[in-house]
Amino acid sequence: MAATCSSDFGDLVQIKKQLITIISQCRDRGLVHSVKWASELAFALDPLPLNELPPPQELTEEDAQDLDALCLAKSYFDLKEYDRAAYFLRGCRSQKAYFLYMYSRYLSGEKKKDDETVDSLGPLEKGQVRNEALRELRVELSKKHSAGELDGFSLYLYGVVLRKLDLLKEAVDVFVAATHALPLHWGAWLELCNLVTNTEMLKSLSLPDCWVRDFFMAHMYTELQMIKEALQKYQSLMEAGFSKSTYIISQIAVAYHNIRDIDQALALFNELREQDPFRIENMDTFSNLLYVRSMKPELSYLAHNLVEIDKYRVETCCVIGNYYSLRSQHEKAALYFQRALKLNPRCLGAWTLMGHEYMEMKNTSAAIQAYRHAIEVNKRDYRAWYGLGQTYEILKMPFYSLYYYRKAHQLRPNDSRMLVALGECYEKLSQQVEAKKCYWRAYSVGDVERMALLKLAKLHEQLNESDDAAQCYIIYIQDIFSCGELLEHAEVSTALRYLGQYYFKSKLYDEASLCAQRCCDYNDAREEGKALLRQISAVREQGEASSTDLSLPCVFNPLSNNTTPVRRVSPLDLSSVTP
Amino acid sequence: MNLDRLRKRVRHYIDQQQYQSALFWADKIASLSHEDPQDIYWLAQCLFLTSQYHRASHALRSRKLDKLYGACQYLAARCHYAAKEYQQALDILDMEEPASKKLLDKSVKEDNGIREASKEWEVSPTSINSSICLLRGKIYDAMDNRPLATSSYKEALKLDVYCFEAFDLLTSHHMLTAQEEKEFLDSLPISQQCTEEEEELLRFLFETKLKKYNKPSEMVIPEMAHGLQDNLDVVVSRAERHYYNCDFKMCYSLTSTVMVKDPFHANCLPVHIGTLVELGKANELFYLSHRLVDLYPTNPVSWFAVGCYYLMVGHKNEHARRYLSKATTLERTYGPAWIAYGHSFAVESEHDQAMAAYFTAAQLMRGCHLPMLYIGLEYGLTNNSKLAERFFSQALSIAPEDPFVIHEVAVVAFQNGDWKTAERLFLDAMEKIKAIGNEVTVDKWEPLLNNLGHVCRKLKKYEQALEYHRQALVLIPQHASTYSAIGYVHSLMGDFESAIDYFHTALGLKRDDTFSVTMLGHCIEMYIGETDAYIGTDIKDKVRKTISTPALMKMLNSSSDNDDSRAQPLEESGIMALETPPNSNKPPNTLQRFLLECDMHESDMMLGTSLSDTST
């Protein structure tokens, strides 16, 4: 199959034909999102000549019998009168009618549930509102399933029902079966995507070999934060002939967003908006990027633009929420996120963002709720896990926050922020050893906030491990100076202050005085610096010759002239510091 | 004067339900024929039909006809019974003690005079005798003399195997246990009284009326009963089967077809009400009970329906009791109403009052094990496991194969810490259920699966426990206590990460579950204690190579130290995890049990309505 898969890409005509077929099939069954996906892809491919167009589906005897009922029911279905549609499909025997029958029952339950949610409570107090139809549907579908009477679409529906009932293990199996039965139905792949929690699980699935699978894998890699692989996949898909697909462009943009390559992502989103100016999907992600960059005018423009297109869309509400949040109007922001959730309670981004807003408003319990909902929707949302950690930290429950930070860390093992957070928690639990490990690790994976070393140093300081502390401060100062930016003066001064004292105690007066001098550059450490200098000169005046050193560490050269690039500390130099 | 023509006219009027005209002419005939006994009999009959019971009785007794003719004796007694003068009715029946004794002793041989007379009257003596026995039974029943009533009914049925009323009274009032019913049916002289074809038919029809709820099974319709599949009684009996197998959906579809064909089918009503309660169709039950009360205010079923409605909507137990007691006053022997009455107390945890009601039900329905089961449950809930066990064993003696009872016995064993027995019994119950289908698919049995999980956990068969809980989850998804049970098993297995996950899910569904909260805190601590500070060693190694600063050396040292020191507490913590649950989780665990029992109890409670197949 691998051969057909790759050759399939060569045969774009074939793919296009398949897409056209599946579009009509999905449309007949009211699976609008899959229709949209397939249509977007089909649009990206060249149009087919008339004689190449695939013939319409052949009808069986049963189909013909059910045709009228199906037609009637479909019209009710499109008008969202699901119960009515189901009623008229009761006795039908064709597969298509059966699917529509079950699907309308399912949607009827969902609609009632959502109405209930909006009516009675805010989305925050979701409570016990449930889709009552699910259990019946499960029983009926499972009977059919074990009899092997379900087609690809019905399998998909069965999977959805199972997932809604939190029977995830069973759901995965059913979705895999659904993809085998009908590889072109994107909905099944997408559902599967939501259920795969890690790479091992992904590897263990036996998926059909079809060109759709590549799309799935790429999507999966993006979700699993394996961005490099994802980008590669998308690149190859583009090369295979889907270069015009807006779907792929948006996915790549999301991928860049996930690895925080903000510039790339912004560029892609701008391109996307040029190609598809009335697109609302993914614009919430775009607004996140603008938010991170604090690009107020752009965000404002985007928000206004989207309101013009459709103000009652989840994404629009999220964008507006972000906009208000950037302007520190957190109540309003929360209001808009709430509206987004009313529109779609399963909107992941809105839950997380709402959690952030509640955090800003210091409403921890609401924040916890919101984050939990986010996790319920998607367990791989590290921001929500991280947020939970933060809230529990505020609530002074370090064990809990430790757990949540760990979850976030599992999802993004190389993100220093989680590691620093973990370290802080360990520190609070007086597990200094673990804390030290975390900080060190945070530094070594590339510290974004440049806090890890400082925290590590302070920790050493507390534990009276002065050599280690000094070591850390040295690296810290080097780091700060090497990056050239002038941030966090106060912290540099503490480092210098400590180093001054340290060298003084180790009788390395030259270094000590150097540090002390540098201390005087900073307002808050000036007095101490001067005092230290006085002390040093006092000690020196006693005329000590014994303390003359053989080697003078060159660590402080960069301090004297910070315009020149810093040289890394050589091991030899550092070893001289240790006793 | 051709009296025969007039006599025919009287019969004709009776057939037309024109009783006044019939009475008028019967009276005239009696005078014209100079009080021919037969004409007097018909006069009395007409008086009876016009509800003038005392006149009828007087017409017969003043002429001493009741002592000469069986039919007159029967009618006279019937009149007093209808007037609720039970003792007098009994006196009339007992008056001819020797004659009736004889009749009972050797049913074939009869008193000569009566025989002749009966022959003239075109009524077979056996059927009169059977009617007399039936009436006697009914009188005893009304006088609360259960054992005599039972034997009278049996007698009536032996005399006339077609006498359905006697059979119906026997079965619907649960006078016999399932075993006794079976034996009695076999002992009936069916083959003597009917043709071969009829025999099979009779057997099938009677068997469908036998007890259905003592053990789950399927119903088979024999070939010869073709055409009866769609007979409403047979359909109802099939629905009852489904009801007992807890397939309420199927039952509902059957009963609703019956209700369409015959909107107030008496036999169907109780089952239908039961399914409506089970499926939570409050609106439909409301409408049905309204119609019933309007149309049949004197039928206890109507008020039973109202009571069930209030019981079902919840927080209306006071109302429920009011209407259920109305049903019981209308007919004291209406067992289902008593049971429902007990339930109304049980849901409020009023154990004593609930038990009182159940006891009444138990007296009324000697052959039914459900009251015993409920009494046992109530004792179990009041922590009186000894008595509970006693009642369960009584229930078990009546219905040795009911999985519900077996399940409850197992629960008691579980509470007493006898895990092995509990497990055996749970599995036993499971076997019984599986007898109908290969798999347990009915969500009524979710507690059983969960309890199996609990037992396996206690027996340290963790894998099995997980499997059972998982099956339970398939039956009833999104059940908080199942999730916390799974989490608990995981924590005992030392898999704290999964445990935490499950406790989280449980708390997401039910936020104030103390058991899950405490266990979650516990597990998180264990989990943090046991895991590495962070994930991914590969980069750490790389760092070691690139910067081999003394600080890093120090780091390495500390981490290796730490490895040793970490191993120690881990061991301890592992033990602690295994040790603490028995102490710290005992209360929550019992709480859980309690809840499960409540579940079970509720499920049984609904079953209670299934036995309400009383028609009269």
Side-chain angles (χ1 to χ4, degrees):
Chain A
M1 273 310 275
T4 53
C5 172
S6 48
S7 71
D8 261 356
F9 276 117
D11 195 359
L12 284 177
V13 176
Q14 205 55 39
I15 290 180
K16 176 105 184 183
K17 274 186 193 171
Q18 288 175 356
L19 281 171
I20 290 172
T21 318
I22 197 76
I23 286 169
S24 79
Q25 278 180 353
C26 288
R27 191 185 293 124
D28 286 348
R29 288 167 175 80
L31 294 164
V32 281
H33 287 285
S34 293
V35 171
K36 190 191 76 182
W37 182 82
S39 307
E40 274 179 0
L41 274 194
F43 182 74
L45 298 173
D46 295 327
L48 292 179
L50 180 61
N51 55 354
E52 287 275 351
L53 281 176
Q57 287 271 297
E58 279 174 40
L59 293 176
T60 63
E61 186 58 38
E62 282 172 346
D63 285 331
Q65 264 178 14
D66 294 343
L67 202 59
D68 298 325
L70 198 61
C71 200
L72 178 69
K74 183 67 181 23
S75 69
Y76 291 142
F77 181 92
D78 291 339
L79 290 167
K80 295 193 172 16
E81 296 186 73
Y82 301 118
D83 286 323
R84 209 167 161 197
Y87 178 79
F88 284 100
L89 286 169
R90 272 166 315 148
C92 294
R93 277 177 305 151
S94 67
Q95 288 281 9
K96 202 197 259 181
Y98 180 73
F99 173 80
L100 198 61
Y101 169 61
M102 295 307 256
Y103 191 45
S104 15
R105 282 175 63 190
Y106 165 75
L107 283 182
S108 142
E110 284 294 292
K111 185 162 175 279
K112 279 172 198 157
K113 188 185 81 178
D114 288 348
D115 290 352
E116 197 82 0
T117 320
V118 174
D119 281 354
S120 54
L121 335 142
L124 257 192
E125 303 151 56
K126 184 190 84 172
Q128 299 298 309
V129 188
R130 283 186 195 156
N131 183 348
E132 298 297 334
L134 287 177
R135 268 156 67 171
E136 283 171 32
L137 288 175
R138 186 197 69 80
V139 173
E140 287 174 37
L141 284 167
S142 79
K143 273 181 196 155
K144 282 245 178 189
H145 180 55
S146 44
E149 288 170 11
L150 294 180
D151 66 349
F153 288 111
S154 304
L155 277 171
Y156 159 72
L157 182 61
Y158 183 35
V160 171
V161 169
L162 287 175
R163 180 174 64 76
K164 289 262 171 174
L165 290 171
D166 290 334
L167 299 169
L168 303 182
K169 222 169 99 193
E170 290 82 358
V172 171
D173 296 341
V174 172
F175 280 127
V176 170
T179 54
H180 276 281
L182 197 77
L184 281 123
H185 181 208
W186 180 242
W189 291 100
L190 210 56
E191 288 290 341
L192 194 57
C193 190
N194 273 327
L195 291 174
V196 175
T197 45
N198 51 39
T199 351
E200 286 83 55
M201 189 171 166
L202 182 62
K203 273 177 197 147
S204 68
L205 297 175
S206 76
L207 298 168
D209 260 322
C210 173
W211 55 268
V212 188
R213 184 189 168 153
D214 285 338
F215 280 91
F216 168 72
M217 289 312 261
H219 192 115
M220 207 62 245
Y221 288 142
T222 324
E223 289 282 307
L224 291 173
Q225 313 284 344
M226 298 159 69
I227 305 298
K228 224 193 305 169
E229 289 86 343
L231 288 175
Q232 252 173 20
K233 272 271 182 216
Y234 280 126
Q235 199 56 46
S236 66
L237 285 171
M238 299 262 273
E239 280 159 17
F242 291 104
S243 52
K244 279 192 285 179
S245 161
T246 48
Y247 166 76
I248 293 185
I249 297 176
S250 68
Q251 282 299 110
I252 296 178
V254 171
Y256 278 124
H257 164 256
N258 284 357
I259 46 164
R260 312 219 139 254
D261 190 342
I262 298 174
D263 296 321
Q264 283 270 21
L266 282 177
L268 277 165
F269 272 118
N270 282 324
E271 190 191 328
L272 191 63
R273 273 178 67 71
E274 251 166 53
Q275 279 194 21
D276 189 359
F278 292 94
R279 183 186 179 102
I280 294 185
E281 279 175 293
N282 303 109
M283 284 306 127
D284 49 336
T285 319
F286 186 32
S287 77
N288 285 350
L289 292 167
L290 295 174
Y291 180 92
V292 170
R293 273 286 155 92
S294 303
M295 294 160 86
K296 271 190 200 170
E298 284 83 354
L299 188 53
S300 159
Y301 173 72
L302 178 71
H304 281 97
N305 198 278
L306 290 181
V307 168
E308 262 171 41
I309 300 168
D310 184 352
K311 75 193 232 196
Y312 292 112
R313 276 285 292 268
V314 179
E315 288 87 349
T316 312
C317 294
C318 286
V319 172
I320 300 173
N322 268 337
Y323 172 65
Y324 278 123
S325 180
L326 191 59
R327 296 177 46 146
S328 305
Q329 291 174 301
H330 296 296
E331 271 89 7
K332 273 196 165 172
L335 204 71
Y336 271 95
F337 291 132
Q338 248 165 13
R339 182 188 281 183
L341 292 169
K342 262 183 193 163
L343 293 169
N344 179 8
R346 291 190 64 75
C347 172
L348 167 73
W351 280 119
T352 317
L353 293 171
M354 178 119 106
H356 292 337
E357 292 313 315
Y358 279 126
M359 277 292 280
E360 292 286 343
M361 294 193 278
K362 304 274 179 279
N363 184 351
T364 39
S365 64
I368 288 175
Q369 284 262 354
Y371 286 133
R372 281 203 191 285
H373 278 294
I375 289 162
E376 228 167 76
V377 179
N378 187 347
K379 282 199 170 173
R380 293 184 304 259
D381 186 24
Y382 67 92
R383 292 169 304 165
W385 286 112
Y386 186 77
L388 270 177
Q390 279 184 319
T391 41
Y392 278 105
E393 213 174 331
I394 292 172
L395 291 174
K396 303 221 165 21
M397 294 165 78
F399 273 117
Y400 278 67
S401 57
L402 194 53
Y403 174 74
Y404 295 117
Y405 283 138
R406 278 193 63 86
K407 279 280 182 188
H409 171 58
Q410 267 171 8
L411 292 164
R412 286 175 75 88
N414 292 332
D415 195 322
S416 64
R417 288 168 299 175
M418 316 317 170
L419 279 162
V420 171
L422 273 175
E424 283 172 0
C425 279
Y426 277 121
E427 221 177 307
K428 281 198 185 116
L429 291 169
S430 331
Q431 299 189 9
Q432 277 89 354
V433 183
E434 311 280 341
K436 276 191 274 186
K437 284 205 283 186
C438 285
Y439 288 140
W440 181 248
R441 165 107 184 157
Y443 167 69
S444 41
V445 294
D447 191 0
V448 190
E449 294 160 319
R450 304 193 183 284
M451 294 286 289
L453 272 177
L454 198 68
K455 288 189 182 291
L456 183 60
K458 282 184 180 163
L459 194 56
H460 281 306
E461 203 179 323
Q462 272 174 23
L463 295 172
N464 288 327
E465 297 166 341
S466 51
D467 295 329
D468 293 323
Q471 196 69 64
C472 291
Y473 279 129
I474 292 167
I475 307 177
Y476 175 67
I477 291 171
Q478 277 184 342
D479 238 36
I480 295 291
F481 281 102
S482 68
C483 80
E485 292 171 50
L486 287 175
L487 22 81
E488 296 165 288
H489 297 280
E491 300 299 330
V492 175
S493 66
T494 33
L496 285 170
R497 208 184 321 168
Y498 182 81
L499 281 174
Q501 294 287 348
Y502 171 73
Y503 285 127
F504 183 72
K505 273 178 202 153
S506 348
K507 300 202 171 58
L508 297 168
Y509 299 116
D510 289 343
E511 289 86 342
S513 65
L514 196 58
C515 287
Q517 278 164 13
R518 301 294 309 181
C519 266
C520 299
D521 292 350
Y522 301 98
N523 285 331
D524 53 339
R526 188 164 295 145
E527 290 311 311
E528 282 187 54
K530 281 177 183 167
L532 187 62
L533 277 175
R534 271 197 297 278
Q535 271 184 314
I536 295 168
S537 55
V539 171
R540 278 193 170 155
E541 269 171 25
Q542 286 176 348
E544 297 264 323
S546 58
S547 70
T548 44
D549 275 334
L550 301 172
S551 69
L552 194 142
C554 49
V555 185
F556 297 102
N557 291 347
L559 295 180
S560 43
N561 50 340
N562 43 7
T563 43
T564 54
V566 194
R567 199 163 57 83
R568 268 226 167 273
V569 201
S570 71
L572 185 77
D573 292 338
L574 283 167
S575 64
S576 71
V577 182
T578 48
Chain B
M1 183 74 64
N2 188 354
L3 284 179
D4 276 344
R5 247 182 77 88
L6 280 177
R7 279 181 187 131
K8 262 187 200 139
R9 185 152 293 280
V10 169
R11 306 280 176 93
H12 182 71
Y13 277 129
I14 290 178
D15 283 347
Q16 305 266 307
Q17 281 115 32
Q18 294 198 29
Y19 300 130
Q20 287 300 340
S21 320
L23 177 61
F24 178 80
W25 288 111
D27 181 44
K28 301 300 163 286
I29 295 167
S31 301
L32 287 171
S33 68
H34 306 290
E35 300 198 345
D36 183 291
Q38 204 172 345
D39 292 328
I40 297 295
Y41 173 76
W42 280 107
L43 173 65
Q45 189 88 307
C46 290
L47 284 168
F48 177 78
L49 288 172
T50 47
S51 311
Q52 309 183 54
Y53 305 125
H54 288 95
R55 271 183 80 192
S57 159
H58 184 78
L60 293 170
R61 295 185 69 189
S62 60
R63 296 171 180 89
K64 301 231 179 330
L65 292 177
D66 57 320
K67 286 178 184 139
L68 293 171
Y69 304 101
C72 295
Q73 185 188 14
Y74 171 69
L75 186 58
R78 182 86 181 77
C79 286
H80 284 288
Y81 174 73
K84 295 201 165 68
E85 293 165 354
Y86 303 124
Q87 192 53 51
Q88 259 176 307
L90 204 57
D91 286 344
I92 294 174
L93 290 182
D94 286 341
M95 216 156 27
E96 237 186 345
E97 191 60 38
S100 63
K101 252 263 153 53
K102 241 184 226 167
L103 287 176
L104 296 181
D105 287 347
K106 24 192 169 144
S107 47
V108 197
K109 221 176 153 191
E110 246 109 42
D111 191 83
N112 260 350
I114 291 171
R115 174 184 255 174
E116 277 169 37
S118 319
K119 248 192 192 139
E120 272 171 48
W121 295 4
E122 300 159 14
V123 195
S124 82
T126 42
S127 85
I128 288 229
N129 288 329
S130 148
S131 303
I132 286 178
C133 285
L134 175 63
L135 180 61
R136 195 190 290 278
K138 276 163 119 176
I139 293 167
Y140 282 131
D141 225 351
M143 294 169 77
D144 262 343
N145 194 338
R146 286 313 186 103
L148 277 178
T150 315
S151 63
S152 301
Y153 290 143
K154 278 180 163 176
E155 210 61 56
L157 206 57
K158 267 184 196 156
L159 289 169
D160 177 11
V161 289
Y162 293 94
C163 181
F164 173 75
E165 195 178 350
F167 182 78
D168 186 49
L169 285 169
L170 270 178
T171 51
S172 60
H173 283 182
H174 304 282
M175 294 184 155
L176 304 173
T177 65
Q179 186 63 27
E180 285 169 341
E181 274 181 0
K182 221 156 176 51
E183 281 165 11
F184 174 62
L185 191 63
D186 290 336
S187 74
L188 281 182
I190 297 181
S191 49
Q192 291 162 29
Q193 293 185 25
C194 18
T195 64
E196 217 163 274
E197 270 184 333
E198 276 183 339
E199 184 185 340
E200 206 177 328
L201 179 70
L202 207 65
R203 232 170 239 291
F204 164 66
L205 288 177
F206 278 6
E207 260 160 23
T208 59
K209 295 288 287 179
L210 287 187
K211 282 214 186 355
K212 300 164 188 77
Y213 42 84
N214 56 337
K215 105 182 184 200
S217 54
E218 297 276 25
M219 185 170 125
V220 203
I221 296 175
E223 267 183 51
M224 53 76 50
H226 271 325
L228 278 181
Q229 300 99 314
D230 293 332
N231 182 285
L232 294 187
D233 271 337
V234 178
V235 175
V236 169
S237 139
R238 225 166 58 219
E240 275 178 73
R241 274 265 172 258
H242 284 301
Y243 189 98
Y244 185 65
N245 295 345
C246 301
D247 190 354
F248 303 113
K249 274 254 134 202
M250 195 65 209
C251 177
Y252 176 69
S253 69
L254 285 175
T255 51
S256 29
T257 54
V258 174
M259 298 303 277
V260 168
K261 283 186 193 159
D262 181 355
F264 301 103
H265 194 269
N267 284 343
C268 184
L269 278 174
V271 195
H272 193 61
I273 293 167
T275 36
L276 288 180
V277 172
E278 278 294 343
L279 296 174
K281 293 183 186 286
N283 198 19
E284 257 183 74
L285 183 55
F286 175 81
Y287 185 51
L288 175 73
S289 46
H290 256 281
R291 277 186 304 162
L292 279 175
V293 167
D294 284 345
L295 296 175
Y296 299 98
T298 52
N299 193 335
V301 150
S302 314
W303 300 104
F304 175 66
V306 179
C308 281
Y309 171 75
Y310 281 115
L311 206 55
M312 173 178 151
V313 291
H315 310 298
K316 293 263 187 182
N317 292 319
E318 201 45 62
H319 289 76
R321 278 197 279 276
R322 191 187 308 157
Y323 293 109
L324 287 170
S325 69
K326 193 170 170 77
T328 53
T329 37
L330 280 173
E331 189 181 317
R332 233 190 80 75
T333 52
Y334 196 66
W338 282 109
I339 291 190
Y341 195 66
H343 291 330
S344 75
F345 283 114
V347 288
E348 288 180 350
S349 303
E350 299 277 358
H351 303 298
D352 291 332
Q353 276 146 307
M355 272 191 273
Y358 292 142
F359 269 120
T360 319
Q363 278 163 14
L364 292 171
M365 306 189 287
R366 210 178 53 76
C368 181
H369 67 288
L370 290 175
M372 297 293 173
L373 177 63
Y374 296 134
I375 295 168
L377 268 176
E378 291 301 315
Y379 274 124
L381 289 177
T382 46
N383 282 331
N384 200 338
S385 61
K386 272 272 168 300
L387 275 171
E389 240 173 309
R390 263 236 319 266
F391 279 97
F392 286 140
S393 69
Q394 267 193 45
L396 215 51
S397 68
I398 299 172
E401 292 191 83
D402 186 3
F404 281 102
V405 187
I406 299 174
H407 176 259
E408 293 309 325
V409 178
V411 168
V412 173
F414 185 95
Q415 277 170 338
N416 293 341
D418 190 355
W419 320 128
K420 280 269 172 225
T421 322
E423 190 199 19
R424 186 174 50 75
L425 286 168
F426 279 134
L427 287 174
D428 206 22
M430 187 77 123
E431 279 302 304
K432 295 278 184 303
I433 299 160
K434 280 186 177 167
I436 29 168
N438 288 324
E439 250 182 291
V440 187
T441 49
V442 186
D443 48 9
K444 271 274 124 83
W445 290 112
E446 183 246 16
L448 172 64
L449 285 168
N450 266 331
N451 286 348
L452 264 171
H454 293 309
V455 159
C456 285
R457 187 191 66 223
K458 291 280 182 199
L459 292 169
K460 303 217 174 354
K461 298 186 210 166
Y462 297 129
E463 293 297 331
Q464 259 175 291
L466 283 182
E467 179 57 28
Y468 282 124
H469 284 310
R470 211 186 56 74
Q471 282 179 25
L473 215 52
V474 172
L475 289 185
I476 297 190
Q478 290 166 336
H479 199 243
S481 81
T482 315
Y483 279 115
S484 57
I486 295 179
Y488 187 31
V489 177
H490 273 299
S491 75
L492 290 180
M493 291 165 82
D495 181 359
F496 295 113
E497 197 174 356
S498 318
I500 292 170
D501 227 31
Y502 279 106
F503 284 127
H504 265 136
T505 326
L507 285 174
L509 293 165
K510 195 171 151 209
R511 218 176 307 164
D512 48 354
D513 184 7
T514 39
F515 175 74
S516 297
V517 171
T518 41
M519 279 310 290
L520 181 61
H522 190 69
C523 284
I524 285 187
E525 281 175 39
M526 300 309 290
Y527 175 68
I528 298 304
E530 132 178 322
T531 43
D532 291 327
Y534 50 79
I535 305 148
T537 44
D538 44 345
I539 293 181
K540 195 161 95 184
D541 290 337
K542 204 162 71 192
V543 173
R544 275 183 208 165
K545 274 173 224 154
T546 46
I547 319 172
S548 58
T549 56
L552 194 68
M553 284 307 292
K554 182 72 187 170
M555 279 282 296
L556 289 176
N557 287 341
S558 66
S559 73
S560 63
D561 284 352
N562 182 52
D563 274 340
D564 296 346
S565 61
R566 210 193 311 142
Q568 210 64 22
L570 177 69
E571 213 68 58
E572 271 173 20
S573 64
I575 294 160
M576 218 165 74
L578 291 173
E579 290 281 76
T580 38
N583 312 330
S584 67
N585 300 320
K586 200 72 188 203
N589 207 11
T590 47
L591 185 80
Q592 210 173 349
R593 301 281 332 135
F594 180 81
L595 289 176
L596 283 173
E597 267 178 350
C598 276
D599 285 352
M600 220 33 226
H601 176 240
E602 265 168 25
S603 71
D604 282 13
M605 159 172 137
M606 297 318 164
L607 245 184
T609 51
S610 80
L611 56 121
S612 49
D613 33 349
T614 16
S615 54
T616 47

